[in-house]
Amino acid sequence: MTHRIQIIGDELMGVNGEAASLFSELLLCEYPTRPMQFAIAGSIRYPISTVIARAPGDIFGKHAERIVLGLGLHELRAVADADQVFTQYKILLEEILSKTSSVLYLLTIPRQALPECVAALEAFNEKVCAMENGDRVHVLDFASHLEDFEKDQLQRGKFARSLYDSNHLPTSLCHVLLGLFIARRIYNTQKETENGF
């Protein structure tokens, strides 16, 4: 459906999908006169293969104009194998691209979310970034954005606030940062390609 934005995410979006909800609220507050609808599910805590199996109802049936994918973290925590996780991720992308006309936005995963498997996470992010085509697939490099944000925070020294807690879960500050990042990047991309929503 025109003007519908769907977000499909795992713990990257927060344990209860907090960043996704914030994203929709930020857009509604910033652009109150623009026609917008949202399809936002809770945090996905099952393998990407299950996302693929449920896609006809959970994704294709939503008829979203734009889809944000924040997947991979949940599965990397389980298997720590970038190739294995990305194989399923790519199948999902190809299914969405072949069976919808949706524009896709792919989120990269910050290393702070999975510090025990940084090599696998970075390898996965590289594969995700390679999928950008400038037409229907756009990469939202949240991993780099978060790194830049933390560098800026260091200028404040001891007053900097944590983006991830001791269990490597995103804090409320991280939810806001991610929600803002998605909102601004999607709006900028749309403005460049379609003159806004």
Side-chain angles (χ1 to χ4, degrees):
M1 181 177 287
T2 304
H3 309 308
R4 176 173 290 168
I5 301 173
Q6 182 174 16
I7 296 190
I8 303 164
D10 54 23
E11 296 97 322
L12 176 63
M13 296 287 184
V15 175
N16 297 304
E18 294 92 337
S21 295
L22 276 168
F23 153 75
S24 64
E25 292 165 357
L26 287 163
L27 275 186
L28 289 168
C29 288
E30 193 166 1
Y31 308 111
T33 63
R34 294 183 184 276
M36 286 180 275
Q37 294 185 356
F38 300 93
I40 300 174
S43 180
I44 290 175
R45 301 177 190 178
Y46 44 79
I48 296 174
S49 58
T50 304
V51 178
I52 296 168
R54 296 175 56 162
D58 291 354
I59 302 176
F60 310 150
K62 302 296 183 185
H63 304 291
E65 181 183 23
R66 301 186 181 272
I67 298 174
V68 179
L69 286 182
L71 295 173
L73 177 58
H74 181 83
E75 209 151 347
L76 282 169
R77 282 181 171 155
V79 300
D81 185 327
D83 291 331
Q84 180 179 330
V85 175
F86 186 75
T87 295
Q88 292 298 308
Y89 187 91
K90 187 175 180 182
I91 291 171
L92 176 62
L93 295 188
E94 291 171 346
E95 282 285 292
I96 295 173
L97 290 171
S98 68
K99 295 179 180 175
T100 75
S101 58
S102 304
V103 175
L104 302 182
Y105 297 85
L106 315 180
L107 282 164
T108 58
I109 306 168
R111 63 170 60 196
Q112 293 85 338
L114 196 63
E116 65 272 23
C117 300
V118 169
L121 188 148
E122 291 184 343
F124 178 80
N125 282 343
E126 286 179 9
K127 293 174 183 294
V128 169
C129 288
M131 294 299 293
E132 178 150 15
N133 63 24
D135 181 18
R136 288 184 61 198
V137 180
H138 303 276
V139 174
L140 306 183
D141 192 358
F142 182 59
S144 294
H145 181 70
L146 189 143
E147 293 287 342
D148 291 340
F149 182 83
E150 286 197 328
K151 288 175 184 175
D152 291 340
Q153 272 200 317
L154 286 176
Q155 297 177 18
R156 300 186 64 203
K158 65 180 180 180
F159 299 106
R161 289 183 57 200
S162 297
L163 294 167
Y164 284 85
D165 65 20
S166 58
N167 295 315
H168 315 306
L169 296 174
T171 63
S172 60
L173 179 64
C174 190
H175 297 153
V176 173
L177 184 68
L178 179 53
L180 275 170
F181 176 71
I182 300 171
R184 289 173 177 170
R185 285 297 306 276
I186 284 184
Y187 175 68
N188 289 339
T189 301
Q190 286 186 313
K191 194 159 62 171
E192 290 167 6
T193 59
E194 299 178 1
N195 297 316
F197 286 98

